[in-house]
Amino acid sequence: MFFKKYTNYILFFLAYIGALVIEKPTYSVDSVQACFSYLFTVIVHFSVFAFLIWANNAFIISYLLEKKLFSWYVAGLIVLVSLYTFFTSNYNQFIHGVLFHDKPIETSSGFWDNFVYGLCCSVIASMLYVTQKWSEREEQVKNIQINQLQTELKYLRSQINPHFLFNGLNTIYGSIDMSNRQARDMVVQFSDLLRYNLYEGDVEMIELEKEVKYLKNYVALQKARSNDNIQVTLKVNYQNSGVKIAPLIFMAFVENAFKYVSRGDNGINSITIGLNEEAGQIDFTCDNSYDEAEPVSGGIGLNNAERRLELLYKDHYRLDIKKEQNIYHVHLTLSL
């Protein structure tokens, strides 16, 4: 995998070392000591050259070229190549005059040759870097498309006919006695949840108002099926109901709260959910009491939620999860 990823760079550096070795006969070396001296110069030249390429890729390209700061990139590259040229030219003068006893080379005479050489190599390395990045991104896009197709296929295979489900729910609703209002309301709430999951929530982004409605229905349904000794509080406040968010982005935390909330008779069992939107900033909290004898486990749901946040809101979210005093606390902030 390593060699596949860096094949171009390996060949590039091997070609550079080969050029240094081929250049050896031009020097007046006729002893073993002189050969070792030349080997040392090859190592020095290669190290300086490798540093030039590394600094260009790690800093100049990453912080300037990839951010489309082209003028700054050119200026940074010229400064970097100039430093490389200054060191190389002075070192060449030293090895010719001291190690090989050739006619000393003036620094100025080889400066432009070394500068052009270093600049050309840096540009070639930059092209290799950009090509490699483009290839990696293309491969990532293909992998994402393949994963999406596989996910869709699994979904289609496991999907029950929605019309059958809704018709069944309508039949159940009609069969419930009119006086049993709670049961009828639960069927309606469950039907709304199902409709949201199958139809409305199958988009990249959805209005906050619809997400809040789904959240309220889910909490109401869970409250109806939970013990009376669990205190459930939901507080929602938003200024812009049309602001778009990723569907079901909060649900993993809410589901986790109802799954792991304490249910003992000797303590306070509570779930407190808060959602506040103001000026494109969403502040979401979800706290639930838990029994230390049955520790809370994040599981696949929370891992998937964190993965979605990283993919959809990278650098625009903050997630804090902690446990203290038998309270499992989730605090999520989103910048939309």
Side-chain angles (χ1 to χ4, degrees), residues 5 19 28 30 34 38 44 56 73 88 101 107 125 133-134 193 205 221 247 262 275 284 299 301 313 318 324 335:
K5 183 176 181 180
S28 56
D30 53 4
Y38 181 73
V44 172
N56 179 43
Y73 168 73
T88 303
H101 305 292
T107 303
K133 284 292 184 180
W134 177 83
L193 294 176
M205 293 290 168
L221 188 61
S262 58
L275 192 154
F284 172 81
Y313 295 99
R318 180 177 178 179
E324 55 183 8
S335 297

Side-chain angles (χ1 to χ4, degrees), residues 115-293:
F115 181 85
V116 172
Y117 178 76
L119 183 62
C120 290
C121 290
S122 298
V123 171
I124 293 173
S126 299
M127 293 172 64
L128 290 174
Y129 180 91
V130 172
T131 302
Q132 184 69 40
K133 284 292 184 180
W134 177 83
S135 177
E136 290 177 359
R137 287 169 183 168
E138 284 293 306
E139 188 173 353
Q140 287 177 352
V141 170
K142 290 181 181 179
N143 290 334
I144 290 174
Q145 291 175 343
I146 291 173
N147 290 334
Q148 287 178 339
L149 290 174
Q150 291 176 343
T151 302
E152 184 177 357
L153 181 60
K154 290 179 181 178
Y155 173 75
L156 291 173
R157 286 175 177 173
S158 62
Q159 186 183 33
I160 301 175
N161 191 324
H163 297 292
F164 171 78
L165 287 175
F166 286 119
N167 289 336
L169 287 172
N170 288 332
T171 301
I172 295 172
Y173 181 83
S175 301
I176 298 175
D177 190 270
M178 292 290 294
S179 62
N180 194 344
R181 192 64 191 174
Q182 183 181 12
R184 295 173 70 88
D185 288 343
M186 289 178 64
V187 172
V188 172
Q189 290 165 354
F190 181 75
S191 178
D192 289 340
L193 294 176
L194 184 61
R195 182 176 292 104
Y196 186 88
N197 273 278
L198 291 176
Y199 299 117
E200 297 183 47
D202 190 23
V203 293
E204 292 185 2
M205 293 290 168
I206 197 167
E207 293 83 359
L208 178 61
E209 184 176 27
K210 293 182 179 179
E211 185 72 10
V212 168
K213 181 180 178 181
Y214 178 88
L215 180 61
K216 289 180 177 179
N217 280 336
Y218 181 85
V219 171
L221 188 61
Q222 288 289 0
K223 286 175 66 175
R225 62 186 295 269
S226 298
N227 297 336
D228 293 335
N229 63 346
I230 299 178
Q231 301 175 5
V232 181
T233 304
L234 173 62
K235 295 182 180 179
V236 176
N237 179 49
Y238 52 86
Q239 294 180 343
N240 184 4
S241 61
V243 67
K244 296 290 188 71
I245 63 168
L248 307 173
I249 200 68
F250 310 115
M251 291 311 301
F253 309 112
V254 177
E255 291 172 357
N256 210 53
F258 279 100
K259 181 178 181 180
Y260 292 104
V261 64
S262 58
R263 303 176 186 276
D265 297 327
N266 299 325
I268 299 176
N269 310 308
S270 65
I271 297 176
T272 303
I273 304 167
L275 192 154
N276 183 70
E277 183 275 332
E278 185 175 356
Q281 184 90 5
I282 290 183
D283 190 84
F284 172 81
T285 58
C286 184
D287 300 342
N288 68 275
S289 59
Y290 70 93
D291 189 351
E292 288 188 346

Side-chain angles (χ1 to χ4, degrees), residues 83-96:
L83 292 174
Y84 162 81
T85 304
F86 176 79
F87 180 87
T88 303
S89 299
N90 282 277
Y91 184 73
N92 285 342
Q93 185 181 30
F94 167 76
I95 62 176
H96 277 275

